[in-house]
Amino acid sequence: MLKNKKSWLLGAMLFLVVLSNLIFGSYHLGKKAAVDEPLWTFGRIQKFWNNISDREWEKTIVSDKPGITVVLISGIGMKIENPLKQKSSFWNNKNANSDKPAKLEKVNKAFRWPILIFNSLSLIGFFFLLKKIFNPLAAIISVIAIGLSPLILGISTI
């Protein structure tokens, strides 16, 4: 009976950490932008997936930024929002585009949601890995520390 109660409590704590990670990570998800982010959104990620679809394997080598993991995961967002449809309206300074921030936020969200979801779900895998290596208490404390770390939450959103 005690073991079932302990397992249920660990499961509930893990669920709350993953849910909190998603909630805190989604706050202003599309509003912030790094200086070099347009290079990724409108260039490297798009080119990588275009080269994959064209089977031009030699052109799929990405630089260290954004990195292959980010390219693979955030590329899912291109199915939601194609950044090339919006690119000219973002960078055309001659035309005042009143909905430019809203469009940019939409593109950012499309590329960032898959990364945030992947990071949040990785906490579950991390918990089970640490549980096997150490013990359940060490595993849940580690997941709480990592899942609720402001630094990691912030990095997950850009």
Side-chain angles (χ1 to χ4, degrees):
M1 178 72 179
L2 186 61
K3 187 171 181 160
N4 286 339
K5 192 173 184 179
K6 186 178 177 182
S7 295
W8 183 87
L9 181 62
L10 284 173
M13 289 174 71
L14 182 62
F15 174 77
L16 287 173
V17 171
V18 171
L19 183 65
S20 298
N21 184 276
L22 275 170
I23 291 169
F24 291 135
S26 64
Y27 182 71
H28 290 300
L29 188 63
K31 293 190 187 286
K32 299 178 268 180
V35 175
D36 58 350
E37 201 165 9
L39 293 173
W40 308 354
T41 308
F42 300 111
R44 294 175 183 158
I45 295 172
Q46 187 77 31
K47 287 177 187 173
F48 175 84
W49 285 106
N50 287 341
N51 291 331
I52 290 285
S53 67
D54 295 341
R55 297 186 179 172
E56 295 175 333
W57 310 118
E58 68 281 356
K59 294 181 180 178
T60 59
I61 299 171
V62 293
S63 74
D64 63 328
K65 292 184 176 149
I68 192 68
T69 311
V70 173
V71 170
L72 292 172
I73 297 168
S74 67
I76 296 167
M78 288 190 325
K79 294 290 183 186
I80 300 165
E81 186 69 34
N82 185 350
L84 293 185
K85 290 180 184 176
Q86 311 293 347
K87 184 176 181 180
S88 62
S89 67
F90 291 140
W91 313 118
N92 186 352
N93 291 330
K94 294 178 184 172
N95 298 342
N97 190 345
S98 62
D99 62 341
K100 184 164 97 171
K103 288 180 180 179
L104 182 58
E105 185 175 344
K106 194 173 178 184
V107 169
N108 284 344
K109 280 183 179 179
F111 275 79
R112 292 174 182 168
W113 265 112
I115 295 171
L116 180 61
I117 291 169
F118 177 82
N119 288 347
S120 296
L121 294 178
S122 293
L123 293 170
I124 297 169
F126 187 64
F127 170 78
F128 285 107
L129 177 69
L130 286 176
K131 187 176 152 188
K132 278 192 178 278
I133 295 172
F134 299 109
N135 61 52
L137 182 61
I140 198 66
I141 289 171
S142 299
V143 167
I144 289 169
I146 290 170
L148 301 179
S149 165
L151 180 63
I152 292 176
L153 280 168
I155 293 297
S156 295
T157 64
I158 59 171

